[in-house]
Amino acid sequence: MLFDIIRSNRDAKEARMASDMAEVRNIGIVAHIDAGKTTTTERILFYAGLTHRLGNVDEGNTVTDWMVQERERGITITSAAITCAWRGTQINLIDTPGHVDFTIEVERALRVLDGAVGVFCAVGGVQPQSETVWRQANRYHVARIAFVNKMDRMGADFARVVAEMRGKLGANAVPVTLPVGAAEGYAGEIDLVSMKQRRYLDAEGKAFEDGEPDAALADAARAAHEALLEALAEADDTFMEAYLENPEQPEGAVRAAIRRCVVAQTLVPVFCGSSLKNKGVQALLDGVVDYLPAPGERKAPVGTNVKTEEPAEIELSASAPLSALVFKIATDPYVGRLFFVRVYGGTLKKGQNVYNPRTRQRERVMKILRVKSDDEEELEQLVAGDIGAVVGLKQATTGDTLCAENRPVALMGITAPEPVMFMAIEPKSSAEKDKLADALDLLAAEDPTCQVRTDAETGQKILSGMGELHLEILVDRLRREFNVTANTGKPMVSYCETVTAAARRTYTFDREIAGKRHYATLTIEVSALKRGEGRQAAVSKAAEKRLPRPEVSAIIRDALFDAIATGVLARFPMTDVRAEVTDCAMLDDETASDVAFRSAAVMGFREAALAAGPEFLEPIMSLDIVTPPEYVGDIMGDINGRRGQVRDMEMKGDLQEVRASVPLAELFGYATAIRSLSRGRAGYTMEPGAFAVAPKTVKEELLNR
């Protein structure tokens, strides 16, 4: 009898939890810079009742752009998490940056989100960073809906943007709303599911009425409605059967079919509006609730069982063993370090002990917070499907898994791109030396693309980042948040080293240190990897069997990674390289010290890498220029003079778009150059494209520095 009561209570709890999870949406707002992400987020918070005024980026009073640097520059720098509600559904929303220097913020947000709203400018269309964030969402299989913003601007073209989404992004983009007018004549939208036209009655967009479409738009709306139904029939077999029997499908069936297609990622519904003019955002919010998946509708993530190293599927249930991912770290002046987590399975409770598979350590969660941009609300627990922040962890970092110690599982981490620029940094006084080091460590812990190292020859601190703006923001944060003033050098390109062939060398370390002999012989093979594969270090099974102790294998791997990070030509870190110890030898257990194996690994790697055709890699930027046609010739000539290559050209209205690949080293001061070439009428954006082998002249210059 008691067992039946317990089981009944458990089943009831599970049913409530399933219902709660179905009423949660974890979404992100992603787009190219200046497409209107933050303004769209502000309108969402306003209509959801979380704010009572309309924030404006230009006025610096938005909720999610809370950092001083964001409000001064009018851009989003760090992804901001905030929770609101719409139609009884909890929406955990993350507003992400659009500037390429802060792409890691988009990467780690999409890693933990279930759905995303892609915002596109009705004039600019699909822009370079739009393509980047779309590829990131593809990589993490995030369901999406799209919002074509700025329909009130001159040159707005809804149909062209939808066509670009299909052509450039490969998305099955299908309008679910149709704009009523454009530019100054933009007045609202027609819902192609209900076939109702929304007419706005006040400036804030809160008051509106839905009625029959204007007679002049009735035919276009009917054609777009039919196109939507046909697209659904092609993408969803269930809807196709019903549609073939009866082409006039009820509204509920159409919305259900759109939801199935979005969850299956076979269709992208496209909305339209103007966030600045307060039109179309409430329809977008309805789309978030109606079409984007709840946490339980996503495919269960697969981790790795730490004990067996076999794949382990995570159970998306509050009663399952704990499985959560740390995706972001931030420093709060009052609370301390905040660790943002997404809970996939189980329940994370205040005061609970959690296990970190990477460090093999147990840690205690002291507080759990629901973060609202720069404000917090304390909670007792986070359940499966929730996003929140915890306080109290000591050794966790971005990409770590928090799990139950008796069921250790490691989730897929977060990959950070390689920095492309660096600068020397030092304290203005010796008294601030330790303070600067501590502040830089905190910044590096928060931002995986911020890397700090000490130059072995000069002893200088080297700060690396994703671009000039990224480095500028980091230095500004040191001054304002950590009260550290520092002298900085000129930003420089962060080159990498690699190998172009394979080589094998055997190195013997035999030395007497402090009266004790240290001896080890290692055979190391170095080979090249494909571009973008990073760094790999391994010890073969044959070599492992000859090692004196099991832990020596880890010591050798760590030594190889240290050697790879140091480089062999000019102390630049190496990438796209693999180092493997294939054989080893020793005299006896007494002389086979850790020092000997570590030293043999480092020295042996250097000799093998130098024999494997080492080369420098330089970052190549994807440059996107929009200019009046009369300046195209001068701009292309300038690109050629910068060792660049034009990839393609395309007319966008009355402007010419030029896409090129140019080495980053040649783009310092490009903003001034392009203004001069076009009399201030051309604009550009750039983002890291790839690393390529530097030409001989650049190699000689770097070696002679």
Side-chain angles (χ1 to χ4, degrees), residues 667-679:
L667 289 173
F668 285 92
Y670 189 66
T672 302
I674 197 169
R675 280 198 297 268
S676 175
L677 290 168
S678 65
R679 298 183 181 179

Side-chain angles (χ1 to χ4, degrees), residues 17 19-28 44-45 48 50 81-94 113-115 259 285 288-290 292-297 341-343 368-372 377 379 381-389:
M17 192 58 64
S19 174
D20 292 342
M21 195 183 293
E23 293 167 358
V24 173
R25 301 290 182 273
N26 295 315
I27 70 165
I44 288 174
L45 301 181
L50 200 65
I82 196 160
T83 301
C84 61
W86 183 255
R87 284 173 36 196
T89 298
Q90 175 184 310
I91 299 175
N92 298 321
L93 184 151
I94 298 180
L113 293 173
D114 303 314
R259 181 179 185 82
L285 268 169
V288 168
V289 173
D290 290 339
L292 287 178
E297 293 176 296
V341 297
R342 162 69 192 267
V343 181
I368 298 178
L369 304 171
R370 175 88 69 203
V371 179
K372 299 180 178 178
E377 170 194 356
L379 303 175
Q381 65 180 25
L382 293 171
V383 299
D386 261 342
I387 290 178

Side-chain angles (χ1 to χ4, degrees), residues 350-367:
K350 179 180 176 180
Q352 179 179 348
N353 287 328
V354 296
Y355 181 72
N356 186 334
R358 181 184 62 84
T359 62
R360 309 290 172 123
Q361 297 291 322
R362 184 192 304 128
E363 298 201 57
R364 190 174 184 85
V365 174
M366 304 306 294
K367 284 184 179 180

Side-chain angles (χ1 to χ4, degrees), residues 108 325-329 337 339-340 356 358-359 363 393-402 414 444-448:
R108 57 187 175 187
L325 183 76
V326 178
F327 68 93
K328 180 179 169 68
I329 301 174
R337 296 183 78 189
F339 297 82
F340 287 79
N356 186 334
R358 181 184 62 84
T359 62
E363 298 201 57
L393 306 181
K394 302 296 183 185
Q395 300 181 45
T397 189
T398 301
D400 279 358
T401 300
L402 305 179
I414 297 170
E446 288 184 24
D447 182 355

Side-chain angles (χ1 to χ4, degrees), residues 444-614:
E446 288 184 24
D447 182 355
T449 58
C450 165
Q451 296 183 9
V452 182
R453 62 182 175 88
T454 301
D455 189 288
E457 290 189 6
T458 65
Q460 282 183 311
K461 288 281 187 184
I462 304 297
L463 177 64
S464 300
M466 296 304 296
E468 290 180 273
L469 178 61
H470 188 201
L471 293 175
E472 179 187 326
I473 295 296
L474 290 172
V475 173
D476 193 48
R477 290 187 62 193
L478 284 173
R479 179 174 59 85
R480 294 190 179 186
E481 294 179 29
F482 300 97
N483 297 316
V484 177
T485 53
N487 294 320
T488 58
K490 181 182 177 182
M492 301 176 70
V493 174
S494 185
Y495 293 92
C496 287
E497 298 178 22
T498 192
V499 295
T500 57
R504 177 182 294 182
R505 290 292 184 271
T506 298
Y507 186 89
T508 298
F509 182 86
D510 186 2
R511 218 171 276 181
E512 187 174 307
I513 302 174
K516 182 182 178 181
R517 188 181 183 186
H518 299 265
Y519 182 96
T521 297
L522 294 179
T523 299
I524 298 174
E525 185 174 300
V526 172
S527 57
L529 298 175
K530 292 180 180 178
R531 290 286 169 267
E533 290 192 0
R535 310 173 178 102
Q536 296 179 13
V539 179
S540 70
K541 291 184 178 180
E544 277 188 336
K545 291 178 181 178
R546 296 186 176 90
L547 294 175
R549 299 174 300 280
E551 61 269 21
V552 174
S553 179
I555 291 171
I556 292 174
R557 280 195 297 270
D558 288 344
L560 289 175
F561 276 121
D562 288 344
I564 291 171
T566 305
V568 295
L569 291 175
R571 302 189 312 281
F572 290 113
M574 302 192 78
T575 188
D576 302 334
V577 61
R578 174 180 172 81
E580 183 178 14
V581 174
T582 59
D583 198 4
C584 70
M586 59 183 186
L587 293 177
D588 50 50
D589 289 349
E590 187 176 344
T591 58
S593 65
D594 294 350
V595 172
F597 280 104
R598 178 175 178 81
S599 300
V602 172
M603 303 296 187
F605 171 81
R606 288 186 62 83
E607 288 192 358
L610 285 169

Side-chain angles (χ1 to χ4, degrees), residues 128 620-624 647 660-662 667 685-690:
I620 306 297
M621 308 300 286
S622 291
L623 189 65
D624 189 275
R647 298 196 311 273
S661 297
V662 186
L667 289 173
T685 58
M686 65 177 178
E687 62 177 339

